Amino acid sequence: MSNTALPSSPHEHQGVATSQVMQQVMLATVPGLAALVLFFGWGTLLNLLWLCALALAMEAAVLKLRNREVWFYLSDCTALVTAVLLALALPPTAPWWLGLIGIFFAIVVAKQLYGGMGYNPFNPAMVGYVVLLISFPLQMTRWLLPDGVGESLPTLADSLQLFLDRAPDAGIDAFTGATTLDSFRQDRAGQTLAEFASASPLMGRFGGTGWEWINLGFLFGGAYLLYKKIIGWHIPAGMLGALALWALLFYSGGSSQSGGTPLFHLFAGATMLGAFFIATDPVTAPTTVRGRLYYGALIGSLVYVIRTWGNYPDAVAFAVLLGNFAAPLIDATTQPRTYGHKP
Amino acid sequence: MNAPLGHKFWPLPGGIHPPENKQQSLREPIRQAPLPNQLIIPLTQPGYAKPDLCVQVGAKVLKGQVIARGTPQSGITCHASTSGTITAIAEHAVPNASTLPEPCAILEPDGRDEWQKLPAIADYTTADADTLLRRINEAGINGLGGAGFPTHTKVRGALGKVDTLIINACECEPFITADDALMQEEAGAIVTGIKILLQLCKAATCLIGIEDNKPAAIAAMQAAIDDARIRLVVIPTKYPSGAEKQLIYILTGKEIPSGSLPMHSGILCHNVGTARAITRAVLHGEALVSRVVTVTGAALGRPGNLETLIGTPVATLLHACDVDAAKLSRLINGGPLMGLHLPHADLPVLKITNCIIATTLQELPPPAPQQACIRCGYCAEVCPVSLLPQQLYWFARSKELDKAEKHNLMDCIECGACAYVCPSHIPLVQYYRAAKAEIRDERDKHRMAEHSKARYDFHQARKQEEKALEEQRRAERAALAKQKREQAGGSGTADPSDPQAAIAAALARVQAKKAARQAQSEAAATPPAADKEPDA
């Protein structure tokens, strides 16, 4: 008989490992990623590859410094997920150094300096994103016009130029423009929703042009994760429900005072990416079932508040980080009732 | 008569659906395990008091003869499982978590398997409770489902308190089919045992909880039930539906309050195997000397259910099931989720042994290395008692025992569902067991400290009392001496030429003064009782 016997029950395991969970999460980002590439060109994909390589290298370096077994921890794939999520959040025009700084703060500072996988109180990808947003507002808000709105999409060569921080041949201004959410805040000037929708090419059928498809892509990926039971429904339902509810409360009949339709808020910006891929990061979320519902609702509410009355057009990163702050408190106040105990 | 099916049930929160792996051991009917060269009969069950030995080394015994008699409190009577000679009374390794040896009788069978039965109680319906309980005790019956609590103690404690008898036929753990096979073949004996239990505890109804993955057993039981009080409730297959408190909830919707016993909620719970053992003891006068054991696992060529004499070495069972030693990776006593790892096969089958799994590396691979907790919460979703396993894990690891206790660690039933789903392969149950043991240790220490303090206080009080008593005696003696002296003095003063007498007189005077002072101060310290009364 071998000596590998487990001394304590259970002796059986479902056979699902953390690395498999992470691989499924990455797989589920594919539809959203494809929509991003379709509407905004190759930039996101270039960033994604670049950030994955950097994340692995930085994670390995820090693990080595911390005297940890490098391959054992690298193979859990959590660094790759952080890289993918940050890449999906960055504008497709991001130059190489922007991603470098962002992933450094995500992997080295927010994750490894706090003790590595499982110990970080804040979502690493969102820490990286917020550091960049505060430090480099110009580069971070330099989005492209979606396919069909701008004159043309950047080619792979253009995207490479942008990535290398050089102006593409046609000049950078040929591609860049505000995102739908940005434009919704800046350019409305007292118009009703209907007036703005007919005037702005950035307004799509129900969300933002392009963005509605990107959000649908992430919604589809999220549904896959739900089906595979990789994530629970509580955080996405809480977040999307709260966001829609706030939008409904301040819809005000689509008048010039309207904050936008609930559907617009659900299918614009990073809503679906946030709801299914970012807010659902288990390490930084509460662990109780009820707590996750409240946590999702808190993030959804903050997204609406910051989008409508804050200084930033999109708000998922700030909302998630603020939610992370609240997670321990939510956990402490939402303990489930144990069998045989009074409520 | 068929029992009504489709009785209402309350779904179990949490739970898991591991691969059942039950078909392997159900291919054949129950077969007789071979008679080993030597039986190792434990004189006690793990965790129970040592009973009184009734035989000497070298004694010839018959099958069913008492080897050791259980103490009235908790011990279980042990019998010779077959006829033969007691060759030794010695400590021997048994399947237990502590891995400490237990006192055992070694019995060398003579091959005749000759019974010494108790007188049969043919008509149990006219027997009184005391007779039946005495019989259950004499037959050495304990719960065959898992914990092995002495049945007569459990039933006696519940007399007059029970309205529902629950019979556990769930057998929710993978691999195990001993109860399933028993129900298929001896449903009648089980139902008779249930009726004896019903007569004893005077419960109005009996609910038999069985999982829907046992169609043959369901049919057999349904056909055998001939009493309107007994109802078969088929529940969805889900682990751990067969845990006592979980099954009670599923069948009645009642939760047993934390720290309380089912009987305090009017419920008595027994296993089907126990019911069959009761029938054998009452109707046939047979002591509990054998049970059905599932012997299964991929390392066996012929897995199955074996009617096994208590004390049969595991090695004998493995051999009888064509074990392939080259493929065998480990041995498990019980199921794969709550079972006990066996270090080797030279261990006896106990009354509580329901399953032996001889597995291979492919079938039950060794645990993967532990990774960091990612707080995914899968564990909380499957916990049948609604704990937060991942939080308990942090508390257990950081030795925050008070917090672990506050989060109800002691309510954990160690079913292993959390560790089964953990994607980081954290041996959660192991952490909980250690933390629970530490908490119990702390409680014991606290109790000991309280006890010591009480003893110290008592000791101090007694010393004070003794001192006071001594003083009083001294005063009395002094008074007596004074009296004597005065009497002597009445006839004439003490002879001044006698120094001894002078010293004695001086001492007596001093003591008398001292005693007077003492009496005075005591009187001042304790006010007269009457003073206290008016306020009361």
Side-chain angles (χ1 to χ4, degrees), chain B residues 43 50-57 66-69 86 89 104-105:
Chain B
L43 299 178
K50 193 181 158 191
D52 303 322
L53 202 61
C54 303
V55 293
Q56 302 287 323
V57 174
V66 174
I67 295 180
R69 201 169 288 286
I86 303 288
I89 306 273
C104 294

Side-chain angles (χ1 to χ4, degrees), chain A residues 1-22 25 69 71-78 115-121 225 228-234 280-289 292 324 327-328 331-342, chain B residues 18-19 21 174-175 245-246 248-249 254-258 328-332 335-344 361 364-367 369-378 380-381 384-388 390-391 393-394 397 407-408 411 414-416 419-425 427 429-430 433:
Chain A
M1 294 210 338
S2 68
N3 281 329
T4 51
L6 186 72
S8 174
S9 65
H11 309 281
E12 196 176 9
H13 193 271
Q14 195 171 35
V16 175
T18 303
S19 58
Q20 286 163 285
V21 171
M22 297 300 154
V25 170
E69 204 187 317
W71 178 244
F72 177 72
Y73 286 98
L74 267 195
S75 60
D76 65 31
C77 298
T78 49
M117 201 255 273
Y119 294 89
N120 49 300
L225 290 182
K228 282 280 186 180
K229 296 195 171 154
I230 302 284
I231 57 170
W233 58 269
H234 305 87
T280 50
D281 165 34
V283 175
T284 55
T287 56
T288 66
V289 171
R292 289 184 167 182
N324 292 165
D331 257 344
T333 50
T334 54
Q335 299 290 323
R337 185 187 66 84
T338 308
Y339 176 104
H341 285 261
K342 294 208 175 71
Chain B
N21 281 310
F175 289 93
K245 288 183 173 181
Q246 277 56 46
I248 289 170
Y249 175 76
K254 281 189 200 173
E255 284 186 21
I256 308 303
S258 176
L328 180 66
S329 66
R330 55 185 156 140
L331 285 173
I332 296 162
L337 291 163
M338 288 189 79
L340 191 67
H341 165 79
L342 297 182
H344 53 81
L361 285 174
L364 293 180
Q370 180 181 339
Q371 288 172 293
C373 170
I374 55 165
R375 293 162 47 94
C376 63
Y378 296 167
E381 279 164 33
V385 274
S386 306
L387 296 169
L388 292 175
Q390 123 322 110
Q391 220 137 319
Y393 158 70
W394 289 114
R397 261 191 72 162
H407 280 69
N408 303 323
D411 288 289
E414 300 178 21
C415 68
Y420 177 77
V421 297
C422 178
S424 295
H425 298 96
V429 181
Q430 221 166 313
R433 281 205 192 101

Side-chain angles (χ1 to χ4, degrees), chain A residues 58-96:
Chain A
M58 286 181 184
E59 178 114 320
V62 182
L63 286 170
K64 195 123 186 111
L65 283 174
R66 293 178 64 207
N67 282 326
R68 301 296 155 103
E69 204 187 317
V70 173
W71 178 244
F72 177 72
Y73 286 98
L74 267 195
S75 60
D76 65 31
C77 298
T78 49
L80 284 177
V81 169
T82 300
V84 168
L85 294 180
L86 182 57
L88 291 173
L90 286 185
T93 61
W96 61 272

